[in-house]
Structures are given as C-alpha cells and as structure tokens.
C-alpha cells in the first residue's frame, strides 16, 4: 500500500540547503530499507526551485497534467517525478 507524505521548508529557512539535506536523508533511508524501490512526487509546475532540486537529486519527470489547479485565478500544471531507489 502506498504511503503518502508531504515535505517542505518554511519560507524563513529557504536558500540554506535544507531541502537538499532532507531529500538526501529520505533517499538514504529508502536505499537502506528493502521494499522501497522508487519514490514518486508531485510538484506545481510554477515551483521552479523545487523542480530544480528534485532534478539535481536524480528525479526524472514522468508526466504533467495541464491546468490541474487554479491558484489565484491562474492555471497551474502538476508535474509528476520519480526516482528509482535501487538503480540510480
């Protein structure tokens, strides 16, 4: 059964490398535990810093749903990314 979690860094603490550290800890945990073969995540298409972080950490874009959200009247897509925790 899939487990869904959320992760983020408070805006007062961004630009300090905390997101990358958190993500590396999560990936290390997954690699150390059998049965976690991949991670999927979703990110707003307009969240460029998060997308760049995920790509830097090895995630690949596997899909995008256009016009998935309306945020303050603006259309925002949702991007799905994944990483194989066994063979990356």
């Amino acid at each position: 059964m899939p487990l869904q979690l959320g992760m983020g860094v408070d805006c007062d603490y961004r630009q300090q490398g905390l997101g990358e550290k958190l993500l590396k800890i999560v990936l290390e945990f997954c690699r150390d535990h059998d049965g976690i073969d991949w991670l999927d995540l979703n990110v707003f298409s307009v969240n460029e810093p998060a997308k760049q972080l995920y790509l830097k950490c090895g995630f690949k874009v596997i899909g995008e749903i256009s016009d998935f959200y309306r945020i303050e009247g603006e259309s925002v897509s949702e991007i799905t990314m994944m990483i194989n925790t066994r063979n990356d």
Side-chain angles (χ1 to χ4, degrees), residues 17-86:
L18 297 174
E20 185 173 357
K21 287 178 185 177
L22 282 169
L23 205 45
K24 286 182 178 183
I25 289 168
V26 168
L27 291 170
E28 183 178 321
F29 176 88
C30 292
R31 289 182 181 118
D32 289 345
H33 289 80
D34 290 334
I36 305 175
D37 296 330
W38 74 88
L39 295 176
D40 296 316
L41 64 82
N42 298 309
V43 62
F44 292 142
S45 60
V46 295
N47 191 344
E48 198 60 38
K51 290 190 307 186
Q52 292 307 311
L53 170 63
Y54 301 140
L55 290 169
K56 179 180 176 181
C57 289
F59 282 83
K60 307 286 187 235
V61 174
I62 59 170
E64 181 172 352
I65 302 173
S66 300
D67 197 24
F68 196 74
Y69 302 99
R70 290 289 167 158
I71 301 175
E72 296 181 2
E74 297 292 320
S75 171
V76 176
S77 299
E78 180 177 81
I79 295 174
T80 300
M81 304 176 90
M82 68 85 62
I83 189 169
N84 182 323
T85 59
R86 296 290 165 230

Side-chain angles (χ1 to χ4, degrees), residues 8-21:
V9 175
D10 186 275
C11 61
D12 291 337
Y13 299 96
R14 291 182 185 155
Q15 301 291 317
Q16 299 178 34
L18 297 174
E20 185 173 357
K21 287 178 185 177

